[in-house]
């Protein structure tokens, strides 16, 4: 069930996107979490859609910004989404395709970062035990000799706010505490973010925009549930999921979840319908 407008926090997708419309806040947060300098923000483009080919799966990024030599995608996940590793891989490929113009050399590719801010730990070992690291940083390094770096200028950084107590950097620790508890504490950036959230809640246009999105999502789910439940058969649920994907451009994962249909059957049906 969707949250009411007044229950939204900074870590919720919709509110995160609205607050990050502020380029100064966006740059300050990126600098803190990635330990890099942002000389300027060319544009924070919210929910940027990238679909380079008609038949390819597009991606919709939460916040996508550039400065003179970097491209950064920032995602905030209050609820973990499946296949996080492969999701970052696909996001990276789409960003690269979007960044390099036809005929340009590969050395024109900007340094790119995929930054995920997760409320809970997305990584477990083979015994289903969380690793409980506050931050996971991934680079392409040689397995045979870790001192050899591929130097492809791509970095993936995933924060786990639930392990905020283990973070050594006090500024990052305070921010992760804010994400996990929604309590800004004494951290100036977190207090600023909290105030921006409250300011958004006072804006009637933001409220009406959220309600409109909420109603649209409800209509999609209601139509799918009606269509699937009326017959009470798995096949109808799969057909409803395919309809949602084609009509509303939903992801197979979201459509399958909405109508309680097996994802593998939805993917098979989608493939055969093309």
């Amino acid at each position: 069930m969707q949250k009411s407008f007044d229950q939204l926090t900074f870590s919720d997708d919709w509110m995160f996107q609205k607050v990050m419309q502020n380029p100064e806040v966006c740059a300050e947060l990126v600098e803190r979490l990635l330990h890099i300098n942002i000389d300027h923000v060319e544009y924070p483009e919210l929910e940027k859609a990238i679909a380079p080919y008609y038949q390819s799966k597009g991606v919709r990024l939460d916040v996508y910004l550039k400065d003179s030599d970097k491209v950064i995608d920032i995602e905030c996940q209050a609820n973990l989404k499946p296949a996080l590793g492969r999701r970052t891989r696909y996001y990276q490929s789409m960003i690269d395709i979007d960044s390099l113009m036809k005929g340009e050399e590969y050395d024109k590719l900007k340094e790119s970062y995929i930054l995920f801010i997760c409320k809970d730990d997305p990584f477990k070992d083979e015994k289903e035990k969380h690793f409980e690291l506050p931050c996971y940083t991934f680079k392409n390094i040689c397995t045979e000799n870790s001192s050899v770096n591929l130097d492809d200028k791509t970095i993936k950084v995933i924060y786990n706010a639930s392990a905020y107590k283990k973070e050594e950097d006090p500024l990052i620790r305070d921010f992760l505490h804010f994400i996990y508890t929604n309590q800004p504490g004494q951290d100036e950036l977190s207090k600023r973010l909290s105030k921006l959230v409250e300011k958004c809640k006072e804006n009637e246009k933001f409220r009406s925009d959220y309600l409109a999105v909420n109603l649209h999502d409800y209509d999609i789910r209601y139509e799918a549930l009606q269509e699937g439940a009326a017959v009470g058969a798995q096949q109808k649920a799969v057909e409803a999921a395919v309809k949602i994907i084609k009509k509303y451009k939903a992801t197979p994962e979201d459509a399958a979840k909405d109508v309680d249909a097996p994802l593998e059957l939805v993917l098979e049906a989608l493939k055969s319908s093309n």
Side-chain angles (χ1 to χ4, degrees):
M1 180 178 291
Q2 293 281 358
K3 286 185 176 181
S4 70
F5 184 78
D6 292 324
Q7 291 177 320
L8 291 176
T9 66
F10 174 71
S11 61
D12 290 304
D13 283 348
W14 193 90
M15 187 61 74
F16 177 74
Q17 293 163 18
K18 294 300 179 184
V19 172
M20 295 294 276
Q21 287 182 9
N22 185 316
E24 293 181 2
V25 169
C26 197
E28 184 177 352
L29 181 58
V30 167
E31 288 185 333
R32 176 179 296 195
L33 296 182
L34 295 181
H35 307 287
I36 59 176
N37 292 321
I38 301 293
D39 53 34
H40 72 287
V41 176
E42 290 184 10
Y43 58 90
E45 188 171 344
L46 306 182
E47 280 200 329
K48 178 179 176 65
I50 302 176
Y53 307 110
Y54 175 73
Q55 292 184 326
S56 67
K57 175 180 173 64
V59 297
R60 187 167 292 278
L61 309 176
D62 279 359
V63 180
Y64 182 76
L65 63 91
K66 299 180 182 179
D67 78 344
S68 59
D69 60 353
K70 303 176 189 70
V71 181
I72 304 166
D73 167 42
I74 315 167
E75 308 284 329
C76 193
Q77 292 196 352
N79 299 303
L80 292 176
K81 297 177 182 178
L84 179 62
R86 296 189 184 190
R87 187 181 294 268
T88 64
R89 169 183 165 184
Y90 196 72
Y91 284 12
Q92 182 67 67
S93 65
M94 291 295 100
I95 288 173
D96 287 343
I97 291 172
D98 185 61
S99 299
L100 197 64
M101 301 295 292
K102 184 177 180 180
E104 287 187 320
E105 298 296 332
Y106 294 118
D107 61 3
K108 298 298 182 182
L109 279 172
K110 293 184 177 183
E111 187 173 14
S112 70
Y113 294 82
I114 305 292
L115 171 60
F116 271 72
I117 304 166
C118 300
K119 191 171 183 178
D120 298 304
D121 195 340
F123 298 109
K124 299 178 183 178
D125 62 17
E126 65 278 1
K127 296 181 179 179
E128 293 295 303
K129 181 180 179 181
H130 290 288
F131 288 100
E132 298 182 351
L133 295 178
C135 182
Y136 302 88
T137 302
F138 300 92
K139 300 179 181 180
N140 287 324
I141 297 174
C142 179
T143 301
E144 289 76 13
N145 186 338
S146 60
S147 64
V148 180
N149 193 321
L150 186 61
D151 195 29
D152 59 355
K153 303 300 182 184
T154 65
I155 300 176
K156 300 174 182 68
V157 180
I158 301 172
Y159 277 97
N160 163 31
S162 67
Y164 68 88
K165 293 180 180 178
K166 296 183 178 181
E167 173 57 51
E168 296 182 359
D169 185 319
L171 293 179
I172 294 178
R173 183 172 61 245
D174 290 345
F175 172 74
L176 294 180
H177 174 266
F178 169 60
I179 292 294
Y180 192 65
T181 66
N182 198 37
Q183 301 297 320
Q186 299 303 310
D187 176 46
E188 291 301 320
L189 176 59
S190 297
K191 288 194 289 187
R192 188 177 177 191
L193 293 172
S194 183
K195 289 179 180 178
L196 287 171
V197 168
E198 295 307 312
K199 186 175 181 180
C200 283
K201 290 181 178 180
E202 295 171 359
N203 188 304
E204 287 302 320
K205 184 180 185 305
F206 287 171
R207 181 182 293 271
S208 62
D209 287 348
Y210 179 72
L211 292 175
V213 171
N214 223 356
L215 182 60
H216 176 64
D217 290 345
Y218 174 80
D219 288 343
I220 293 174
R221 290 183 174 86
Y222 181 79
E223 180 180 343
L225 288 172
Q226 287 290 97
E227 192 165 336
V231 179
Q234 187 180 76
Q235 182 57 36
K236 286 299 180 182
V238 171
E239 291 173 0
V242 171
K243 181 178 178 181
I244 291 172
I245 294 167
K246 291 187 173 183
K247 186 174 181 180
Y248 298 104
K249 308 301 182 184
T251 65
E253 293 84 357
D254 288 342
K257 184 178 179 181
D258 281 343
V259 298
D260 195 24
L263 177 59
E264 60 272 19
L265 294 183
V266 172
L267 293 174
E268 289 177 6
L270 186 63
K271 184 177 180 180
S272 63
S273 68
N274 290 332

